[in-house]
């Protein structure tokens, strides 16, 4: 099912669709809708009957994008992302993965870049120009990045590029400088909440998950769709203090570490006299005495280290147990006298 276009994405599409320039870089932290905005721009540029507010949604071009078969749209993504977002892989790549010759790539492959160069040199099939959409553009190696750069330098014919990034600082400066840059706008919390509820996130879960996601609505939606509830998230710090490994069950190591970092962040923030960002104050254990700050800081550093190897754990179960045991120790060290609150 297609997620309806969020109002803050529609507003940015409208502003950007009128701009010139052949290469646009959409940047900002994850969860703000880089991909959605990039795809909407491609739809608008290629639409046969563009409206004031954006693409018509009815013409053959709009339809071809909806069913992922537009001859003038080239999508460059890591294979894992293409599969997640429902884009077909090239036949050869799909065959290799089906035959278990290799796994789906987590990077944008050099082969795919070469196909894009060829695409850029062809004439437009539908006569409304061509679009190359790259997402997330930081997920390519140096060879692929340089191939992209060459294509950006020599735009062949009527091809426009829309590059979407969740880590623009990792891009070659030469790529950034070739593009007109747009930083994704943060939606107002009310707009994000209304959108989440329109995507069938329960009214009780939406504000808690939006907060858990640091205000990034797409992340909150992804978590809701993965089954995370407000009750689970709010109960996480206390469950960790009790050493419950089940609190992190069903999460990937990277997601678990992200959640632990948020617990740690909020405890540090409260200890420094600030407000928690990802949890409600009542979710957290009692405030940390000054002696506990060092323990929290040490825990934070360990989590940052753990994140680097999270994609390749030696043994996921053992890693989760170790993470929870470490969390428990940090929470108790931070809170030597720890009566459980009702
Ligand atoms: Zn259309």
């Amino acid at each position: 099912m297609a997620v309806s276009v969020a109002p803050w994405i529609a507003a940015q599409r409208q502003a950007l669709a009128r701009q010139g320039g052949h290469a646009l870089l959409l940047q900002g932290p994850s969860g703000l809708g880089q991909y959605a905005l990039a795809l909407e721009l491609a739809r608008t540029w290629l639409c046969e009957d563009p409206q004031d507010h954006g693409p018509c949604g009815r013409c053959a071009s709009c339809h071809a994008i909806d069913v992922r078969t537009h001859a003038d749209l080239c999508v460059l993504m890591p294979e894992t992302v293409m599969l997640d977002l429902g884009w077909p892989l090239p036949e050869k790549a799909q065959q290799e993965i089906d035959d278990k010759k290799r796994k789906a790539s987590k990077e944008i492959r050099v082969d795919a870049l070469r196909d894009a160069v060829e695409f850029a040199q062809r004439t437009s099939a539908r006569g409304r120009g061509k679009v190359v959409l790259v997402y997330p553009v930081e997920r390519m190696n140096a060879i692929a990045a340089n191939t992209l750069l060459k294509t950006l330098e020599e735009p062949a014919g009527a091809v426009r590029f829309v590059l979407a990034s969740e880590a623009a600082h990792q891009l070659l400066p030469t790529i950034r400088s070739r593009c007109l840059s747009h930083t994704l706008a943060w939606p107002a919390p009310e707009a994000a909440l209304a959108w989440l509820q329109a995507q069938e996130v329960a009214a009780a879960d939406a504000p808690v998950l939006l907060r858990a996601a640091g205000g990034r609505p797409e992340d909150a939606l992804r978590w809701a769709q993965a089954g995370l509830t407000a009750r689970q998230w709010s109960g996480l710090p206390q469950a960790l203090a009790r050493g419950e490994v089940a609190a992190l069950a069903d999460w990937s190591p990277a997601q678990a570490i992200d959640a632990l970092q948020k617990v740690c962040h909020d405890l540090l923030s409260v200890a420094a006299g600030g407000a928690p960002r990802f949890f409600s104050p009542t979710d957290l254990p009692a405030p940390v005495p000054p002696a506990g700050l060092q323990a929290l800081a040490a825990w934070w550093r360990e989590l940052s280290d753990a994140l680097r190897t999270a994609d390749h754990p030696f043994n996921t179960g053992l890693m989760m147990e170790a993470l929870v045991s470490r969390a428990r120790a940090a929470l108790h060290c931070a809170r030597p006298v720890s009566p459980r609150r009702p």
Side-chain angles (χ1 to χ4, degrees), residues 47-49 55-59 62:
C47 177
E48 286 161 14
D49 184 20
C56 73
R58 293 179 306 270
C59 70
C62 285

Side-chain angles (χ1 to χ4, degrees), residues 1 195-203 221 224:
M1 190 188 72
W195 179 76
L196 282 171
Q197 290 187 38
Q199 314 308 315
E200 296 177 356
V201 176
L221 177 62

